[in-house]
Amino acid sequence: MERDEMLIALKKKLTPKRYVHSIGVEYTASCMAFVYGEDVQRARIAGLLHDCAKCIPLEEKLKKAQKHGIPVSPCERENPDLLHGKLGAYYARKKYGVTDEEILSSITYHTTGKPDMTLLEKIIFVADYIEPNRKMLPELPEIRREAFTDLDKCICHILKRTLTYLRERGGAIDDMTEKTYNYYRKD
Ligand code: DGI
Ligand code: FE
Ligand code: FE
């Protein structure tokens, strides 16, 4: 599918805010691809589509995951929003015609990250957090700088913030988020 077609489809599936965020991730992922030598077109597609399943209602997310044979962990059952990565990869393949496995896995893991990410997976994980339309979060200016100067440090910093946020909010922490943090932490 061409980018114009993707935009038309995404506009139907996403809220206006989420649509603007997706374009922000596309642009931020492109800039990071310039810096780190990733293929710019792959970064753009992954960025544009990463949240394509985000705006499906919670109950529907669970139902659709089951229907499409996507395994649902107990944490995902409690927090079905966590499924939007896996479901997003499913739709990217089936509806948007993406066949590049690395783009698909970047979409799958964009929320939790995963240990030993590929360059594209790292770029999408980070671009999602730092894109310019995101509301200001603690330490975001520093995290944005690190995105272009020290990618692994940036990933660790994002996970640290996310884990702090989830602990304060009392949200269940997905095993994969924890594993990713332990992989990328230096101390
Ligand atoms: O979809 P976005 O909002 O653009 O960003 P995202 O896919 O990174 O999702 C962010 C949300 O996911 C944020 O509210 C924190 C939450 N999250 C990240 N890791 C975990 C998590 N929620 C739970 N319950 N457990 C996690 O491990
Ligand atoms: Fe997301
Ligand atoms: Fe996002």
Side-chain angles (χ1 to χ4, degrees), residues 18 21 50-51 54 81 84-85 107 110-111 128 134:
R18 188 60 51 184
H21 162 70
H50 81 285
D51 271 342
K54 179 84 176 186
D81 196 43
H84 79 275
I107 298 174
H110 82 266
T111 304
D128 184 31
R134 271 260 186 245

Side-chain angles (χ1 to χ4, degrees), residues 18-34:
R18 188 60 51 184
Y19 180 76
V20 168
H21 162 70
S22 301
I23 292 172
V25 177
E26 178 194 21
Y27 277 90
T28 305
S30 309
C31 295
M32 293 180 68
F34 297 159

Side-chain angles (χ1 to χ4, degrees), residues 100-111:
D100 183 323
E101 293 297 332
E102 210 186 329
I103 294 178
L104 296 169
S105 87
S106 302
I107 298 174
T108 300
Y109 294 107
H110 82 266
T111 304

Side-chain angles (χ1 to χ4, degrees), residues 122-155:
K122 290 179 184 182
I123 287 175
I124 299 305
F125 178 80
V126 170
D128 184 31
Y129 199 86
I130 67 166
E131 67 92 7
N133 307 297
R134 271 260 186 245
K135 75 171 197 296
M136 196 38 71
L137 297 166
E139 297 164 42
L140 189 53
E142 196 186 338
I143 291 172
R144 282 180 168 153
R145 201 157 44 239
E146 287 164 357
F148 293 94
T149 55
D150 189 338
L151 194 49
D152 284 4
K153 186 174 173 196
C154 179
I155 290 165

